[in-house]
Amino acid sequence: MGREVTLNELEAAIASGAHVVDVRESFEFEAGHVPNAHHIPLNEIPEALNLIPKDQQVWLVCKSGGRSMRACDYLEAQGFDVVSVAGGTDGWVASGRAVSMEPSK
């Protein structure tokens, strides 16, 4: 089963240039997301494996942690080094951290 990380760990990882993938739906992503996040909706992950780096750890985030854990389990089975962010974007926003409205990278 995938490994969960905290919002504090995510914040530190972003500062170090971590590759973050937001697996929420487009309307959710466009309403605000973790800064520098790449957007790949959960249901598109199997077709988008080529967009996810295999040479570094990937941080997966969703609304609260459920979808990102499903993505984490799937990607781990495909050989990716991934972690799921507990609390997700809702937790990120509730903590007062910066939210980006920029389009997906």
Side-chain angles (χ1 to χ4, degrees):
M1 180 150 166
R3 184 169 76 87
E4 275 195 321
V5 294
T6 66
L7 292 169
N8 288 341
E9 288 173 289
L10 173 62
E11 186 173 45
I14 289 172
S16 300
H19 190 91
V20 179
V21 175
D22 188 319
V23 299
R24 297 176 301 153
E25 296 298 321
S26 294
F27 72 92
E28 294 173 294
F29 184 83
E30 291 163 6
H33 51 271
V34 171
N36 300 318
H38 300 264
H39 182 231
I40 306 173
L42 179 62
N43 64 348
E44 295 177 19
I45 293 279
E47 293 81 37
L49 296 180
N50 62 315
L51 301 176
I52 303 167
K54 269 203 162 176
D55 61 347
Q56 69 184 90
Q57 188 170 63
V58 176
W59 299 66
L60 302 167
V61 65
C62 64
K63 180 175 169 59
S64 60
R67 286 176 280 181
S68 60
M69 184 54 80
R70 287 201 305 275
C72 188
D73 289 342
Y74 175 78
L75 289 168
E76 209 171 58
Q78 307 305 312
F80 289 88
D81 179 8
V82 289
V83 292
S84 175
V85 179
T89 305
D90 281 359
W92 182 270
V93 171
S95 72
R97 290 174 169 97
V99 175
S100 176
M101 304 297 278
E102 294 294 315
S104 179
K105 294 182 154 253

Coordinates of all heavy atoms in Angstrom, one line a residue:
M1 N 0.8 -1.2 0.0 CA 0.0 0.0 0.0 C 0.9 1.2 0.0 O 1.9 1.3 0.6 CB -0.9 0.0 1.2 CG -1.8 1.2 1.3 SD -3.3 0.8 2.1 CE -3.9 2.4 2.4
G2 N 0.4 2.3 -0.7 CA 1.2 3.5 -0.8 C 1.5 4.2 0.5 O 0.8 4.0 1.5
R3 N 2.5 5.0 0.5 CA 2.9 5.7 1.7 C 2.3 7.1 1.7 O 2.2 7.8 0.7 CB 4.4 5.9 1.7 CG 5.0 6.5 2.9 CD 6.5 6.4 3.0 NE 7.2 7.3 2.1 CZ 7.5 8.5 2.4 NH1 7.2 9.0 3.5 NH2 8.2 9.3 1.5
E4 N 1.8 7.5 2.8 CA 1.2 8.9 3.0 C 2.2 9.8 3.6 O 3.0 9.4 4.5 CB 0.0 8.8 3.9 CG -1.3 8.5 3.1 CD -2.6 8.8 3.9 OE1 -2.6 8.6 5.2 OE2 -3.5 9.3 3.3
V5 N 2.2 11.0 3.2 CA 3.1 12.1 3.7 C 2.2 13.2 4.2 O 1.0 13.3 3.8 CB 4.1 12.6 2.7 CG1 5.0 11.4 2.3 CG2 3.4 13.1 1.4
T6 N 2.8 14.1 5.0 CA 2.0 15.2 5.6 C 2.1 16.4 4.7 O 3.0 16.5 3.8 CB 2.6 15.6 7.0 OG1 3.9 16.1 6.8 CG2 2.6 14.4 7.9
L7 N 1.3 17.4 5.0 CA 1.3 18.7 4.3 C 2.6 19.4 4.5 O 3.2 20.0 3.6 CB 0.1 19.6 4.7 CG -1.3 19.1 4.3 CD1 -2.3 19.8 5.0 CD2 -1.4 19.1 2.8
N8 N 3.2 19.3 5.7 CA 4.5 19.9 6.0 C 5.6 19.3 5.1 O 6.5 20.0 4.6 CB 4.8 19.7 7.5 CG 4.0 20.6 8.4 OD1 3.4 21.6 7.9 ND2 3.9 20.3 9.6
E9 N 5.5 17.9 5.0 CA 6.5 17.3 4.1 C 6.3 17.7 2.6 O 7.3 18.0 1.9 CB 6.3 15.8 4.2 CG 6.8 15.2 5.5 CD 6.5 13.7 5.6 OE1 5.3 13.3 5.8 OE2 7.5 12.9 5.6
L10 N 5.1 17.9 2.2 CA 4.8 18.4 0.8 C 5.4 19.8 0.7 O 6.1 20.1 -0.3 CB 3.3 18.4 0.5 CG 3.0 19.0 -0.8 CD1 3.6 18.3 -2.0 CD2 1.4 19.0 -1.0
E11 N 5.1 20.7 1.6 CA 5.6 22.0 1.5 C 7.1 22.1 1.4 O 7.7 22.8 0.6 CB 5.1 22.8 2.8 CG 5.5 24.3 2.7 CD 4.8 25.1 3.8 OE1 4.9 24.6 5.0 OE2 4.3 26.1 3.6
A12 N 7.8 21.3 2.2 CA 9.3 21.2 2.1 C 9.7 20.7 0.8 O 10.7 21.1 0.2 CB 9.8 20.4 3.3
A13 N 9.0 19.7 0.3 CA 9.4 19.0 -1.0 C 9.2 20.0 -2.1 O 10.0 20.1 -3.1 CB 8.6 17.8 -1.2
I14 N 8.1 20.8 -2.1 CA 7.9 21.8 -3.2 C 9.0 22.8 -3.2 O 9.5 23.2 -4.3 CB 6.5 22.5 -3.0 CG1 5.4 21.5 -3.3 CG2 6.4 23.7 -3.8 CD1 4.0 22.0 -2.9
A15 N 9.5 23.2 -2.0 CA 10.6 24.2 -1.9 C 11.9 23.6 -2.5 O 12.7 24.3 -3.0 CB 10.8 24.6 -0.5
S16 N 11.9 22.3 -2.6 CA 13.1 21.6 -3.2 C 12.9 21.2 -4.6 O 13.7 20.4 -5.2 CB 13.5 20.3 -2.3 OG 13.7 20.7 -1.0
G17 N 11.7 21.6 -5.2 CA 11.5 21.3 -6.6 C 10.8 20.0 -6.9 O 11.0 19.4 -7.9
A18 N 10.0 19.5 -5.9 CA 9.4 18.2 -6.1 C 8.4 18.2 -7.2 O 7.8 19.2 -7.6 CB 8.6 17.8 -4.8
H19 N 8.2 17.0 -7.8 CA 7.2 16.8 -8.9 C 5.9 16.5 -8.3 O 5.7 15.4 -7.7 CB 7.7 15.7 -9.9 CG 6.8 15.7 -11.1 ND1 7.2 16.4 -12.3 CD2 5.7 15.0 -11.4 CE1 6.3 16.2 -13.2 NE2 5.3 15.3 -12.7
V20 N 4.9 17.4 -8.3 CA 3.6 17.2 -7.7 C 2.6 17.0 -8.8 O 2.5 17.7 -9.8 CB 3.2 18.4 -6.9 CG1 1.8 18.2 -6.2 CG2 4.3 18.7 -5.8
V21 N 1.7 15.9 -8.6 CA 0.7 15.7 -9.6 C -0.7 15.7 -8.8 O -0.9 15.0 -7.8 CB 0.8 14.3 -10.3 CG1 -0.4 14.0 -11.1 CG2 2.1 14.2 -11.1
D22 N -1.6 16.6 -9.3 CA -2.9 16.7 -8.7 C -3.8 15.9 -9.6 O -3.9 16.0 -10.8 CB -3.3 18.2 -8.8 CG -4.6 18.5 -8.1 OD1 -5.6 17.7 -8.2 OD2 -4.7 19.6 -7.5
V23 N -4.5 14.9 -8.9 CA -5.3 13.9 -9.6 C -6.8 14.2 -9.6 O -7.6 13.4 -10.0 CB -5.1 12.5 -9.1 CG1 -3.6 12.1 -9.3 CG2 -5.5 12.3 -7.7
R24 N -7.2 15.5 -9.2 CA -8.6 15.8 -9.1 C -9.1 16.1 -10.5 O -8.3 16.2 -11.5 CB -8.7 17.1 -8.3 CG -8.4 16.8 -6.8 CD -8.5 18.1 -6.0 NE -7.6 19.1 -6.5 CZ -7.8 20.4 -6.4 NH1 -8.8 20.9 -5.7 NH2 -6.9 21.3 -6.9
E25 N -10.4 16.3 -10.6 CA -11.0 16.7 -11.9 C -10.6 18.1 -12.3 O -10.2 18.9 -11.5 CB -12.5 16.6 -11.8 CG -13.0 15.2 -11.5 CD -12.7 14.2 -12.6 OE1 -12.7 14.5 -13.8 OE2 -12.3 13.0 -12.3
S26 N -10.8 18.4 -13.6 CA -10.3 19.7 -14.1 C -11.0 20.9 -13.4 O -10.3 21.9 -13.0 CB -10.6 19.8 -15.6 OG -9.9 18.9 -16.3
F27 N -12.3 20.8 -13.1 CA -13.0 22.0 -12.5 C -12.4 22.2 -11.1 O -12.3 23.3 -10.6 CB -14.5 21.8 -12.4 CG -15.0 20.7 -11.5 CD1 -15.3 21.0 -10.2 CD2 -15.1 19.4 -11.9 CE1 -15.8 20.0 -9.3 CE2 -15.6 18.4 -11.1 CZ -15.9 18.7 -9.8
E28 N -12.0 21.1 -10.4 CA -11.4 21.2 -9.1 C -10.0 21.9 -9.1 O -9.7 22.7 -8.4 CB -11.3 19.8 -8.4 CG -12.6 19.2 -8.1 CD -12.4 17.7 -7.6 OE1 -12.0 16.9 -8.4 OE2 -12.7 17.5 -6.4
F29 N -9.2 21.4 -10.1 CA -7.9 21.9 -10.3 C -7.9 23.4 -10.6 O -7.2 24.2 -10.0 CB -7.2 21.1 -11.4 CG -5.7 21.5 -11.6 CD1 -4.7 21.0 -10.8 CD2 -5.4 22.5 -12.6 CE1 -3.4 21.4 -11.0 CE2 -4.1 22.8 -12.8 CZ -3.1 22.3 -12.0
E30 N -8.8 23.8 -11.5 CA -8.9 25.2 -11.9 C -9.4 26.1 -10.8 O -9.2 27.3 -10.8 CB -9.9 25.3 -13.1 CG -9.2 24.6 -14.4 CD -10.2 24.3 -15.5 OE1 -11.4 24.7 -15.4 OE2 -9.8 23.7 -16.5
A31 N -10.1 25.5 -9.8 CA -10.6 26.4 -8.7 C -9.5 26.7 -7.7 O -9.6 27.5 -6.8 CB -11.7 25.6 -8.0
G32 N -8.3 26.1 -7.9 CA -7.1 26.3 -7.0 C -6.4 25.0 -6.7 O -7.1 24.0 -6.4
H33 N -5.1 25.1 -6.6 CA -4.3 23.9 -6.4 C -3.0 24.3 -5.7 O -2.6 25.4 -5.7 CB -4.1 23.2 -7.7 CG -3.5 24.0 -8.8 ND1 -4.4 24.7 -9.7 CD2 -2.3 24.4 -9.2 CE1 -3.6 25.4 -10.5 NE2 -2.4 25.2 -10.2
V34 N -2.3 23.2 -5.3 CA -1.0 23.4 -4.7 C 0.0 24.0 -5.8 O -0.1 23.6 -7.0 CB -0.4 22.0 -4.3 CG1 1.0 22.1 -3.9 CG2 -1.3 21.4 -3.2
P35 N 0.8 25.0 -5.4 CA 1.6 25.6 -6.4 C 2.5 24.6 -7.1 O 3.0 23.7 -6.5 CB 2.5 26.6 -5.6 CG 1.6 26.9 -4.4 CD 0.9 25.6 -4.1
N36 N 2.7 24.9 -8.4 CA 3.6 24.1 -9.3 C 3.1 22.7 -9.6 O 3.8 21.8 -10.1 CB 5.0 24.0 -8.8 CG 5.7 25.4 -8.6 OD1 5.5 26.2 -9.5 ND2 6.3 25.6 -7.5
A37 N 1.8 22.4 -9.2 CA 1.3 21.0 -9.5 C 1.0 20.8 -11.0 O 0.6 21.7 -11.7 CB 0.0 20.8 -8.7
H38 N 1.3 19.6 -11.4 CA 0.9 19.1 -12.7 C -0.5 18.5 -12.6 O -0.8 17.9 -11.5 CB 1.9 18.1 -13.2 CG 3.3 18.6 -13.3 ND1 3.8 19.1 -14.5 CD2 4.3 18.7 -12.4 CE1 5.1 19.5 -14.2 NE2 5.4 19.3 -12.9
H39 N -1.3 18.6 -13.6 CA -2.7 18.1 -13.5 C -2.9 16.9 -14.4 O -2.7 17.0 -15.6 CB -3.7 19.2 -13.9 CG -5.1 18.7 -13.8 ND1 -6.0 18.9 -14.8 CD2 -5.7 18.1 -12.7 CE1 -7.1 18.4 -14.4 NE2 -7.0 17.9 -13.1
I40 N -3.2 15.7 -13.8 CA -3.6 14.5 -14.5 C -4.7 13.9 -13.7 O -4.5 13.4 -12.6 CB -2.4 13.5 -14.6 CG1 -1.2 14.1 -15.2 CG2 -2.9 12.3 -15.4 CD1 0.1 13.2 -15.2
P41 N -6.0 14.1 -14.2 CA -7.1 13.5 -13.5 C -6.9 12.0 -13.2 O -6.3 11.3 -14.1 CB -8.3 13.7 -14.4 CG -7.9 14.9 -15.2 CD -6.4 14.7 -15.4
L42 N -7.4 11.5 -12.1 CA -7.2 10.1 -11.7 C -7.6 9.1 -12.8 O -6.8 8.2 -13.1 CB -8.1 9.8 -10.5 CG -8.0 8.3 -10.0 CD1 -6.6 8.0 -9.5 CD2 -9.0 8.1 -8.8
N43 N -8.7 9.3 -13.5 CA -9.1 8.4 -14.5 C -8.2 8.4 -15.8 O -8.3 7.6 -16.7 CB -10.6 8.6 -14.9 CG -10.9 9.9 -15.5 OD1 -10.0 10.9 -15.5 ND2 -12.0 10.1 -16.1
E44 N -7.3 9.4 -15.9 CA -6.4 9.5 -17.1 C -5.0 9.0 -16.7 O -4.2 8.9 -17.6 CB -6.4 11.0 -17.5 CG -7.7 11.5 -18.1 CD -7.6 12.9 -18.5 OE1 -6.5 13.5 -18.7 OE2 -8.7 13.6 -18.6
I45 N -4.8 8.6 -15.5 CA -3.4 8.2 -15.1 C -2.9 7.0 -15.9 O -1.8 7.1 -16.4 CB -3.4 7.8 -13.6 CG1 -3.6 9.1 -12.7 CG2 -2.1 7.1 -13.2 CD1 -2.4 10.0 -12.5
P46 N -3.7 6.0 -16.2 CA -3.2 4.8 -17.0 C -2.7 5.2 -18.4 O -1.7 4.7 -18.9 CB -4.4 3.9 -17.0 CG -5.2 4.2 -15.8 CD -5.0 5.7 -15.7
E47 N -3.3 6.2 -19.0 CA -2.9 6.7 -20.3 C -1.9 7.7 -20.3 O -1.3 8.1 -21.3 CB -4.2 7.2 -21.1 CG -5.2 6.2 -21.4 CD -6.1 5.9 -20.2 OE1 -6.5 6.8 -19.5 OE2 -6.5 4.7 -20.1
A48 N -1.5 8.2 -19.1 CA -0.6 9.4 -19.0 C 0.7 9.0 -18.3 O 1.4 9.8 -17.8 CB -1.3 10.5 -18.2
L49 N 1.0 7.7 -18.3 CA 2.2 7.3 -17.6 C 3.5 7.9 -18.1 O 4.4 8.2 -17.4 CB 2.4 5.7 -17.6 CG 1.3 4.9 -16.9 CD1 1.5 3.4 -17.1 CD2 1.2 5.3 -15.4
N50 N 3.5 8.2 -19.4 CA 4.7 8.9 -20.0 C 4.9 10.3 -19.5 O 5.9 10.9 -19.7 CB 4.5 8.9 -21.6 CG 3.3 9.7 -22.0 OD1 2.2 9.5 -21.5 ND2 3.5 10.4 -23.1
L51 N 3.9 10.9 -18.9 CA 4.0 12.3 -18.4 C 4.5 12.3 -16.9 O 4.7 13.4 -16.3 CB 2.6 13.0 -18.4 CG 2.0 13.1 -19.8 CD1 0.6 13.7 -19.7 CD2 2.9 13.9 -20.8
I52 N 4.7 11.1 -16.3 CA 5.1 11.0 -14.9 C 6.5 10.5 -14.9 O 6.8 9.5 -15.4 CB 4.1 10.1 -14.2 CG1 2.7 10.6 -14.3 CG2 4.5 10.0 -12.7 CD1 1.6 9.5 -13.9
P53 N 7.4 11.3 -14.2 CA 8.8 10.9 -14.2 C 9.0 9.6 -13.4 O 8.4 9.5 -12.3 CB 9.5 12.1 -13.6 CG 8.4 12.8 -12.8 CD 7.1 12.6 -13.5
K54 N 9.9 8.8 -13.9 CA 10.3 7.6 -13.1 C 11.6 7.7 -12.4 O 12.0 6.9 -11.7 CB 10.3 6.4 -14.1 CG 9.0 5.6 -14.2 CD 9.2 4.2 -14.7 CE 8.0 3.4 -14.4 NZ 8.1 2.0 -14.9
D55 N 12.3 8.8 -12.7 CA 13.6 9.0 -12.1 C 13.6 9.9 -10.9 O 14.7 10.3 -10.4 CB 14.5 9.6 -13.2 CG 14.1 11.0 -13.7 OD1 12.9 11.4 -13.4 OD2 14.8 11.7 -14.3
Q56 N 12.5 10.2 -10.3 CA 12.4 10.9 -9.1 C 11.1 10.6 -8.4 O 10.2 10.0 -9.0 CB 12.4 12.4 -9.4 CG 11.2 13.0 -10.1 CD 11.3 14.4 -10.4 OE1 11.8 14.8 -11.5 NE2 10.9 15.3 -9.6
Q57 N 11.0 11.0 -7.1 CA 9.8 10.7 -6.4 C 8.7 11.7 -6.8 O 9.0 12.8 -7.1 CB 10.0 10.9 -4.9 CG 8.9 10.5 -4.0 CD 9.2 10.5 -2.5 OE1 9.6 11.5 -2.0 NE2 9.2 9.3 -1.9
V58 N 7.5 11.2 -6.9 CA 6.3 12.0 -7.4 C 5.3 12.1 -6.2 O 5.0 11.1 -5.5 CB 5.6 11.3 -8.6 CG1 4.4 12.1 -9.0 CG2 6.6 11.3 -9.8
W59 N 4.9 13.3 -5.9 CA 4.0 13.6 -4.8 C 2.6 13.7 -5.4 O 2.3 14.6 -6.3 CB 4.4 14.9 -4.1 CG 5.8 14.8 -3.6 CD1 7.0 14.6 -4.2 CD2 6.1 14.7 -2.2 NE1 8.0 14.5 -3.4 CE2 7.5 14.6 -2.1 CE3 5.4 14.9 -1.0 CZ2 8.2 14.6 -0.9 CZ3 6.0 14.8 0.2 CH2 7.4 14.7 0.3
L60 N 1.6 12.9 -5.0 CA 0.3 12.9 -5.5 C -0.7 13.6 -4.5 O -0.6 13.3 -3.3 CB -0.2 11.4 -5.7 CG 0.7 10.6 -6.7 CD1 0.3 9.2 -6.6 CD2 0.5 11.2 -8.1
V61 N -1.5 14.4 -5.0 CA -2.5 15.2 -4.2 C -3.8 15.2 -4.8 O -3.9 15.2 -6.1 CB -1.9 16.6 -3.9 CG1 -1.9 17.4 -5.2 CG2 -2.7 17.3 -2.8
C62 N -4.9 15.1 -4.0 CA -6.3 15.3 -4.5 C -7.0 16.2 -3.6 O -6.4 17.2 -3.1 CB -6.9 13.9 -4.6 SG -7.2 13.1 -3.0
K63 N -8.3 16.0 -3.3 CA -9.1 16.9 -2.5 C -8.7 16.6 -1.0 O -8.4 17.5 -0.3 CB -10.6 16.6 -2.7 CG -11.5 17.5 -1.9 CD -12.9 17.2 -2.3 CE -13.9 17.9 -1.4 NZ -13.8 19.3 -1.2
S64 N -8.8 15.3 -0.6 CA -8.6 15.1 0.8 C -7.6 13.9 1.1 O -7.3 13.6 2.2 CB -9.9 14.8 1.5 OG -10.6 13.7 0.9
G65 N -7.3 13.1 0.0 CA -6.3 12.0 0.2 C -6.8 10.7 -0.3 O -6.0 9.8 -0.5
G66 N -8.0 10.5 -0.6 CA -8.6 9.2 -1.1 C -8.1 8.9 -2.6 O -7.6 7.8 -2.8
R67 N -8.4 9.8 -3.5 CA -8.0 9.6 -4.9 C -6.5 9.5 -5.1 O -6.0 8.7 -5.8 CB -8.6 10.6 -5.8 CG -10.1 10.5 -6.0 CD -10.7 11.6 -6.8 NE -10.9 12.8 -6.0 CZ -11.4 13.9 -6.4 NH1 -11.7 14.1 -7.7 NH2 -11.5 14.9 -5.6
S68 N -5.8 10.3 -4.3 CA -4.3 10.3 -4.5 C -3.7 9.0 -4.0 O -2.8 8.5 -4.5 CB -3.7 11.5 -3.8 OG -3.9 11.5 -2.4
M69 N -4.4 8.4 -3.0 CA -3.9 7.1 -2.5 C -4.2 6.0 -3.5 O -3.4 5.1 -3.7 CB -4.5 6.8 -1.1 CG -4.0 5.5 -0.5 SD -2.2 5.3 -0.4 CE -1.9 6.3 1.1
R70 N -5.3 6.1 -4.2 CA -5.6 5.1 -5.2 C -4.6 5.3 -6.4 O -4.1 4.3 -6.9 CB -7.1 5.3 -5.8 CG -8.1 4.8 -4.8 CD -9.5 4.5 -5.4 NE -10.1 5.6 -6.2 CZ -10.8 6.5 -5.7 NH1 -11.1 6.6 -4.4 NH2 -11.4 7.4 -6.5
A71 N -4.3 6.5 -6.7 CA -3.3 6.7 -7.8 C -1.9 6.2 -7.3 O -1.2 5.6 -8.1 CB -3.2 8.2 -8.1
C72 N -1.6 6.4 -6.0 CA -0.4 6.0 -5.5 C -0.2 4.5 -5.6 O 0.8 4.0 -6.0 CB -0.3 6.5 -4.0 SG 1.3 6.3 -3.2
D73 N -1.2 3.8 -5.2 CA -1.2 2.3 -5.2 C -1.0 1.8 -6.6 O -0.2 0.9 -6.9 CB -2.5 1.7 -4.6 CG -2.6 1.9 -3.1 OD1 -1.5 2.2 -2.5 OD2 -3.7 1.8 -2.6
Y74 N -1.7 2.4 -7.6 CA -1.6 2.0 -9.0 C -0.2 2.3 -9.5 O 0.4 1.5 -10.2 CB -2.7 2.8 -9.8 CG -2.5 2.5 -11.3 CD1 -3.0 1.3 -11.9 CD2 -1.9 3.4 -12.1 CE1 -2.9 1.0 -13.2 CE2 -1.7 3.1 -13.5 CZ -2.2 1.9 -14.0 OH -2.1 1.6 -15.4
L75 N 0.3 3.5 -9.3 CA 1.6 3.9 -9.9 C 2.7 3.1 -9.2 O 3.7 2.8 -9.9 CB 1.8 5.4 -9.7 CG 0.9 6.3 -10.6 CD1 1.0 7.7 -10.3 CD2 1.3 6.1 -12.1
E76 N 2.6 2.8 -7.9 CA 3.6 2.0 -7.3 C 3.7 0.7 -7.9 O 4.8 0.1 -8.2 CB 3.2 1.9 -5.8 CG 4.3 1.7 -4.9 CD 3.9 1.8 -3.4 OE1 3.0 1.0 -3.0 OE2 4.4 2.7 -2.7
A77 N 2.5 0.1 -8.3 CA 2.5 -1.2 -9.0 C 3.1 -1.1 -10.3 O 3.6 -2.2 -10.9 CB 1.0 -1.7 -9.0
Q78 N 3.2 0.1 -10.9 CA 3.8 0.3 -12.2 C 5.3 0.6 -12.1 O 5.9 0.9 -13.1 CB 3.1 1.4 -13.0 CG 1.6 1.3 -13.1 CD 1.1 -0.1 -13.7 OE1 1.6 -0.5 -14.7 NE2 0.2 -0.7 -13.1
G79 N 5.8 0.6 -10.9 CA 7.2 0.9 -10.7 C 7.6 2.3 -10.4 O 8.8 2.6 -10.5
F80 N 6.7 3.2 -10.1 CA 7.0 4.6 -9.8 C 7.2 4.7 -8.3 O 6.7 4.0 -7.5 CB 5.8 5.5 -10.2 CG 5.6 5.6 -11.7 CD1 4.8 4.7 -12.4 CD2 6.2 6.7 -12.4 CE1 4.7 4.8 -13.8 CE2 6.0 6.8 -13.8 CZ 5.3 5.9 -14.5
D81 N 8.1 5.7 -8.0 CA 8.3 6.1 -6.6 C 7.4 7.2 -6.3 O 7.6 8.4 -6.7 CB 9.8 6.6 -6.5 CG 10.2 7.0 -5.1 OD1 9.4 6.8 -4.2 OD2 11.3 7.6 -5.0
V82 N 6.3 6.9 -5.6 CA 5.2 7.9 -5.3 C 4.8 7.9 -3.9 O 5.0 6.9 -3.2 CB 4.0 7.6 -6.2 CG1 4.2 7.9 -7.7 CG2 3.5 6.1 -6.0
V83 N 4.3 9.1 -3.5 CA 3.7 9.2 -2.1 C 2.4 10.0 -2.3 O 2.2 10.7 -3.2 CB 4.6 10.0 -1.2 CG1 5.9 9.1 -0.8 CG2 5.0 11.3 -1.7
S84 N 1.5 9.7 -1.4 CA 0.2 10.4 -1.4 C 0.1 11.4 -0.2 O 0.6 11.1 0.9 CB -0.9 9.3 -1.2 OG -2.2 10.0 -1.0
V85 N -0.4 12.6 -0.5 CA -0.4 13.6 0.5 C -1.7 13.5 1.3 O -2.8 13.7 0.8 CB -0.3 15.0 -0.1 CG1 -0.4 16.1 0.9 CG2 1.0 15.1 -1.0
A86 N -1.6 13.2 2.6 CA -2.7 13.1 3.5 C -3.3 14.5 3.7 O -2.6 15.5 3.9 CB -2.3 12.5 4.9
G87 N -4.6 14.6 3.7 CA -5.3 15.9 3.9 C -5.6 16.6 2.6 O -6.4 17.4 2.5
G88 N -4.8 16.3 1.6 CA -5.0 16.9 0.2 C -5.0 18.4 0.1 O -4.6 19.1 1.0
T89 N -5.7 18.8 -1.0 CA -5.8 20.2 -1.2 C -6.6 20.9 -0.2 O -6.4 22.1 0.2 CB -6.3 20.5 -2.7 OG1 -5.5 19.8 -3.6 CG2 -6.3 21.9 -3.0
D90 N -7.7 20.3 0.3 CA -8.5 20.9 1.3 C -7.7 21.2 2.5 O -7.8 22.3 3.1 CB -9.7 19.9 1.7 CG -10.8 19.9 0.7 OD1 -10.8 20.7 -0.3 OD2 -11.8 19.2 1.0
G91 N -6.8 20.3 2.9 CA -6.0 20.5 4.1 C -5.0 21.7 3.8 O -4.7 22.5 4.7
W92 N -4.4 21.7 2.6 CA -3.5 22.7 2.2 C -4.1 24.1 2.3 O -3.6 25.0 2.9 CB -3.0 22.4 0.7 CG -2.0 23.4 0.2 CD1 -2.3 24.5 -0.5 CD2 -0.6 23.2 0.2 NE1 -1.1 25.1 -0.9 CE2 -0.1 24.4 -0.4 CE3 0.2 22.3 0.8 CZ2 1.3 24.5 -0.5 CZ3 1.6 22.5 0.7 CH2 2.1 23.6 0.0
V93 N -5.4 24.2 1.7 CA -6.1 25.5 1.8 C -6.4 25.9 3.2 O -6.2 27.0 3.6 CB -7.4 25.4 0.9 CG1 -8.2 26.6 1.1 CG2 -7.0 25.2 -0.6
A94 N -7.0 24.9 4.0 CA -7.4 25.2 5.3 C -6.2 25.6 6.2 O -6.4 26.4 7.2 CB -8.0 23.9 6.0
S95 N -5.0 25.2 5.9 CA -3.8 25.6 6.6 C -3.3 27.0 6.3 O -2.4 27.5 6.9 CB -2.7 24.6 6.4 OG -2.1 24.8 5.1
G96 N -3.9 27.6 5.3 CA -3.5 29.0 5.0 C -2.4 29.1 4.0 O -1.9 30.2 3.7
R97 N -1.9 28.0 3.4 CA -0.8 28.0 2.5 C -1.3 28.6 1.1 O -2.4 28.6 0.8 CB -0.3 26.6 2.3 CG 0.4 26.0 3.5 CD 0.8 24.5 3.3 NE 1.7 24.0 4.2 CZ 1.3 23.3 5.3 NH1 0.0 23.0 5.5 NH2 2.2 22.8 6.1
A98 N -0.3 29.0 0.4 CA -0.6 29.6 -0.9 C -1.3 28.7 -1.9 O -0.9 27.5 -1.9 CB 0.7 30.1 -1.5
V99 N -2.2 29.2 -2.6 CA -3.0 28.4 -3.6 C -2.7 29.0 -5.0 O -2.8 30.2 -5.1 CB -4.5 28.4 -3.3 CG1 -5.3 27.6 -4.3 CG2 -4.7 27.7 -1.9
S100 N -2.5 28.2 -5.9 CA -2.2 28.6 -7.3 C -3.4 28.5 -8.2 O -4.2 27.5 -8.0 CB -1.1 27.8 -7.9 OG -0.9 28.2 -9.3
M101 N -3.6 29.4 -9.1 CA -4.7 29.4 -10.1 C -4.1 29.2 -11.5 O -4.8 29.2 -12.4 CB -5.6 30.6 -10.0 CG -6.1 31.0 -8.6 SD -7.3 29.7 -8.0 CE -8.8 30.2 -8.9
E102 N -2.8 29.0 -11.5 CA -2.1 28.9 -12.8 C -2.5 27.6 -13.5 O -2.9 26.6 -12.9 CB -0.6 28.8 -12.6 CG 0.0 30.1 -12.0 CD -0.1 31.2 -13.0 OE1 0.2 31.0 -14.2 OE2 -0.5 32.3 -12.5
P103 N -2.5 27.6 -14.8 CA -2.9 26.4 -15.6 C -1.8 25.3 -15.3 O -0.7 25.5 -14.8 CB -2.8 26.8 -17.0 CG -2.7 28.3 -17.1 CD -2.2 28.7 -15.7
S104 N -2.2 24.0 -15.6 CA -1.3 22.9 -15.4 C 0.0 23.1 -16.1 O 0.1 23.7 -17.2 CB -2.0 21.6 -15.8 OG -1.1 20.5 -15.7
K105 N 1.1 22.6 -15.5 CA 2.4 22.6 -16.2 C 2.5 21.6 -17.2 O 1.9 20.6 -17.1 CB 3.5 22.4 -15.1 CG 3.5 23.6 -14.1 CD 4.6 23.3 -13.1 CE 5.1 24.6 -12.6 NZ 6.3 25.1 -13.0

